[in-house]
Amino acid sequence: MARPKNQTARRAQLVAAATRAVSKHGPARVRVADIADAAGVARGSVHYYFQDLDELLRQVYKEAVDRFFTRRMARVSALSDARDKLVASAHCGLPHGPDDELVRTLYRFSSDLPDDPVQQAHIEGLTDRQVVLYMGILEVGVAQGHFRLSEPALDIATNLVGLEDAYGLHIIASSSVITNRRALDLILGYARTATGCADLTPDRPTAVTPEDPAQ
């Protein structure tokens, strides 16, 4: 049987279905049948496009890397002012809301597979990339004269990523106190203190794009 011409679209559909299935069942318990059910296809269709479950789960994690590092890097790189860069990065680093399945899936990878060295290496790698991204923004801000750092750039960057992770957990848990907007306010409040820059506000017009959920 010849492969359909829309292979890219079908693979993307299966990765999205795998994200939903992992969010529901967890990476340790999800099965190909769960993914097939989420996609509305036969199990054979999953095996047709992916060698095994591990390959599909790697693609799910790649989606997270693309969203929280690759696309975030592209968004930040398009801006010249470090103040806009930092605000935009914070916008990009939070879940859209309780129904953000990709973020929910990331937390499941971390909590359900704490002893899996491969998964933990992936998680640490993504965290390290995000920290480096924030460090670059902070260094640009210092060079532009906008930031006066109260502590080393590495410490501030690590705290910013840690705050995103912590508040993100509250957001996907449907917290009535920590919403996306409240989390952004709190993260930028810390950033203002750590950088000595009062201009780091959620509504900087250059930093915010129409699709940003915190608007």
Side-chain angles (χ1 to χ4, degrees):
M1 182 175 67
R3 287 185 183 274
K5 295 182 179 179
N6 62 340
Q7 290 184 55
T8 300
R10 178 53 60 89
R11 284 175 65 90
Q13 176 194 4
L14 291 173
V15 171
T19 301
R20 294 193 298 274
V22 173
S23 174
K24 179 179 180 180
H25 301 284
R29 290 178 295 278
V30 71
R31 298 292 180 264
V32 170
D34 300 320
I35 296 169
D37 288 345
V41 300
R43 272 185 284 182
S45 296
V46 179
H47 290 297
Y48 191 67
Y49 289 95
F50 294 93
Q51 181 177 355
D52 52 29
L53 181 60
D54 285 343
E55 181 190 1
L56 188 46
L57 294 181
R58 286 195 296 272
Q59 287 300 311
V60 171
Y61 206 85
K62 183 179 181 298
E63 283 294 307
V65 173
D66 286 345
R67 173 176 164 183
F68 290 105
F69 178 72
T70 307
R71 294 200 291 270
R72 176 151 46 163
M73 172 68 85
R75 175 75 184 110
V76 166
S77 297
L79 303 168
S80 58
D81 191 306
R83 295 167 295 184
D84 294 330
K85 289 176 180 288
L86 196 148
V87 173
S89 183
H91 270 280
C92 294
L94 291 168
H96 304 321
D99 59 347
D100 195 325
E101 289 179 328
L102 183 57
V103 175
R104 188 180 298 277
T105 298
L106 275 178
Y107 284 113
R108 294 299 298 266
F109 272 114
S110 180
S111 62
D112 291 12
L113 300 172
D115 300 321
D116 187 320
V118 174
Q119 293 300 333
Q120 291 308 307
H122 286 325
I123 293 166
E124 291 175 7
L126 177 56
T127 298
D128 290 345
R129 291 183 185 188
Q130 294 176 98
V131 169
V132 170
L133 176 58
Y134 267 118
M135 284 183 65
I137 294 171
L138 293 168
E139 290 165 358
V140 170
V142 171
Q144 291 178 343
H146 300 309
F147 299 163
R148 296 183 304 279
L149 306 186
S150 63
E151 51 193 295
L154 174 59
D155 293 351
I156 296 173
T158 302
N159 280 331
L160 287 169
V161 175
L163 288 171
E164 289 178 358
D165 290 344
Y167 289 136
L169 187 58
H170 287 280
I171 292 169
I172 65 167
S174 302
S175 170
S176 60
V177 177
I178 305 297
T179 61
N180 175 284
R181 180 56 183 238
R182 178 60 175 155
L184 183 63
D185 287 339
L186 291 169
I187 290 170
L188 292 180
Y190 165 72
R192 289 192 295 272
T193 299
T195 63
C197 180
D199 298 330
L200 300 176
T201 58
D203 299 315
R204 286 186 66 82
T206 307
V208 180
T209 57
E211 66 271 16
D212 279 324
Q215 292 193 91

